[in-house]
Amino acid sequence: MMHHKFCIIDFKTVIHGSYNWTKTARYNDETIEISPGHGKAEEFSREFMKLKLQGGNLK
């Protein structure tokens, strides 16, 4: 089961990690990283499309 989340912003920046975007997340041992760059955004976009085409549960 995948716990990793990611957000692609304008194909220029990716926010990714296990961090839940909720008020209580700051009390958990989670990770989050902000990665600038079109190349990184492209990698994550490909992964998103792969998951989408596999019929993954994307909420």
Side-chain angles (χ1 to χ4, degrees), residues 42-53:
E42 196 172 304
E43 286 178 43
F44 275 87
S45 294
R46 280 195 298 271
E47 182 64 18
F48 175 82
M49 290 308 298
K50 184 174 128 186
L51 292 168
K52 183 73 173 165
L53 291 172

Side-chain angles (χ1 to χ4, degrees), residues 4-56:
H4 194 83
K5 299 118 181 113
F6 58 91
C7 175
I8 304 161
I9 303 169
D10 295 334
F11 290 100
K12 295 178 184 176
T13 304
V14 179
I15 301 172
H16 57 98
S18 63
Y19 195 85
N20 290 310
W21 298 354
T22 64
K23 291 179 184 179
T24 58
R26 61 185 163 183
Y27 303 109
N28 298 331
D29 188 18
E30 306 280 356
T31 63
I32 191 165
E33 183 175 330
I34 300 171
S35 300
H38 178 75
K40 185 62 78 173
E42 196 172 304
E43 286 178 43
F44 275 87
S45 294
R46 280 195 298 271
E47 182 64 18
F48 175 82
M49 290 308 298
K50 184 174 128 186
L51 292 168
K52 183 73 173 165
L53 291 172
Q54 289 175 352

